[in-house]
Each structure stands twice: as C-alpha cells, then as structure tokens.
Amino acid sequence: MGQKVNPVGLRLALNKNWSSRWFASKANYGDWLHEDLKIRTFIKKNFNHAGISRILIERYSNNVRVTILAARPGLLIGRKGAELETLRESVAKLLKGREVILDVVEVKQPETNAQLVAENVASQLERRIGFRRAMKKAIQTAMELGAEGIKIQCSGRLGAAELARTEQYKEGRTPLHTLKANIDYGFTEANTTAGKIGVKVWICHKEAMEDMQNAVNAKKSKAQKGAAR
C-alpha cells in the first residue's frame, strides 16, 4: 500500500475548508453524517448533467443550508426557479423535519476545476475515446486557462487491455508536499465495458480560490521571530 494523503484533507484549516460544516453530539453525529451522504448522492445522481463540482452542507438550529457549486446552474434552477423549488422539496424529504435552504453557485471556469475535469475525462472514456487523447486535451485546456500545473492519472484496464495498469500525464508544477500550495483534487470512476477506470486529477492554482471565511489565518497564527518554541 502506498502512503497517500488526500490533498484537501491535508490542507484543512490552512487554505481549504470542510464540505460539511456543523457540530453534533455523539447521539446525532451518525444520523447527520448519513443524511449528508443521502443529500449528496441524490443531487449527484439526478443532476449529474449540471456539472456539479461540490456540495456544501451547513447546519444551524433547525435549518440545513445546501450550497451546490455547478458549472451549468441553469439546469438546476430551471425556468423562474421551478426546478430549484422541486429539488428543495425532494431534499427536505430526506431530512427529518428540518427546513432546507438551497443555494446554487456557478463555477466560473469548469476547465480548471479538478472534480469537473476528472468527470469530463471519465465521460470520454465511457464513450470509448482514447485515454491519452482525453488526458492530454484536458491538460492543454487547463494550462491555457491559467492553471499553474496539472496532473491526471488513470488506472484500470486502459484501452480494454488484458492487464490493468496506471498511466499519468502532467504539465507545470503540482507540489503535493507544499502545504501552502493551492492544490485542487478530484476523483471519479468511469464505468467502461472492460470494467471500472479510476481517474484522479490534481490542479495547482496560482492563487487561493477556496472560500477562506472559516479557515484559520495562517499568517496571524505564525510564531514570531525569536519566540520560544
């Protein structure tokens, strides 16, 4: 087994934030965690065509705020917000007597969002497009739109080969050991006729694109020169 750490989990409270933001007692923790999983699974399954990159869930008092980051928000909102209201009612049924507040935020550059790039490559693999062509095209597009570096890795029976293998292509810099580097990570699976193919994407952005509202300010908490350690 390789010692691999999730790039987002490693940078929590530095320049990344949690996807679920709430505190629960021991009695409620398990139920709320499963509710979050149900919400994310339901939205991703029914609105996969909307290009959803992340689903943020916040809980306070008796309210649950669900923020959906999507590349095509119009498909979620619908005409005059009709689809959004239907989705809100469907999500409310998954929760036990809580009020649901639903927000939709547009992803400005889906070509530089790691999760959306991974899903794009996976959909091409399912349509039997060559994996090298799909990976190189995604890398070229991301670099042209201002990414500092990108790395894509595909694992499985690539090209319907007899044996499974791993191939990766990268361009620019993706410093995974540098905590202050703003690394965006995405993972998905392509269901091909030969079996599942895992797609991982790491994208290094030039500046922090994450919402830093609840993250710790690293500059303020840094030890002063000459301070006792």
Side-chain angles (χ1 to χ4, degrees):
M1 289 289 291
Q3 282 72 44
K4 298 177 183 68
V5 179
N6 188 295
V8 177
L10 184 67
R11 291 169 174 81
L12 280 176
L14 288 170
N15 58 2
K16 295 289 178 184
N17 215 328
W18 285 262
S19 294
S20 293
R21 302 168 193 169
W22 44 263
F23 178 82
S25 62
K26 195 173 181 180
N28 295 328
Y29 182 83
D31 294 335
W32 288 11
L33 184 65
H34 279 283
E35 282 180 1
D36 284 11
L37 290 171
K38 283 180 186 175
I39 291 169
R40 289 194 171 95
T41 305
F42 174 79
I43 295 172
K44 288 285 281 185
K45 184 180 177 182
N46 290 282
F47 295 92
N48 193 38
H49 54 284
I52 297 170
S53 66
R54 286 183 75 192
I55 298 170
L56 309 177
I57 299 172
E58 296 173 278
R59 294 171 185 265
Y60 48 93
S61 64
N62 205 36
N63 298 337
V64 178
R65 179 182 290 276
V66 182
T67 306
I68 305 170
L69 282 78
R72 294 183 287 277
L75 297 175
L76 284 164
I77 297 168
R79 184 171 290 180
K80 296 183 180 178
E83 285 288 335
L84 194 64
E85 184 59 31
T86 306
L87 176 59
R88 193 192 67 78
E89 291 172 1
S90 301
V91 171
K93 289 178 183 176
L94 300 172
L95 305 172
K96 297 175 182 176
R98 293 190 186 86
E99 188 179 341
V100 177
I101 302 165
L102 208 60
D103 294 330
V104 178
V105 179
E106 184 182 2
V107 177
K108 298 293 183 184
Q109 280 192 339
E111 294 85 4
T112 57
N113 185 287
Q115 184 62 35
L116 295 179
V117 170
E119 289 178 8
N120 180 37
V121 172
S123 68
Q124 290 185 63
L125 294 176
E126 288 173 354
R127 299 199 307 269
R128 300 190 181 185
I129 293 172
F131 67 94
R132 288 191 186 91
R133 180 183 169 189
M135 291 162 75
K136 287 179 178 177
K137 178 66 176 173
I139 288 171
Q140 182 186 347
T141 308
M143 292 302 289
E144 285 175 356
L145 288 171
E148 198 163 313
I150 178 171
K151 179 168 72 171
I152 303 179
Q153 179 178 298
C154 290
S155 302
R157 291 182 59 190
L158 300 172
E162 194 98 354
L163 295 174
R165 68 184 192 275
T166 299
E167 286 212 14
Q168 73 173 23
Y169 291 94
K170 59 183 178 179
E171 192 173 329
R173 57 184 290 272
T174 50
L176 300 183
H177 286 207
T178 308
L179 287 176
K180 68 178 181 180
N182 187 29
I183 303 292
D184 189 15
Y185 172 71
F187 168 76
T188 191
E189 291 177 336
N191 297 308
T192 66
T193 52
K196 282 187 183 292
I197 294 177
V199 182
K200 292 180 180 179
V201 177
W202 296 262
I203 297 178
C204 180
H205 295 288
K206 290 180 181 176
E207 55 189 37
M209 297 177 70
E210 192 83 20
D211 177 22
M212 297 289 291
Q213 205 169 9
N214 297 327
V216 174
N217 189 334
K219 290 181 181 177
K220 288 183 182 177
S221 59
K222 193 183 290 181
Q224 295 177 355
K225 289 184 180 179
R229 291 181 181 271

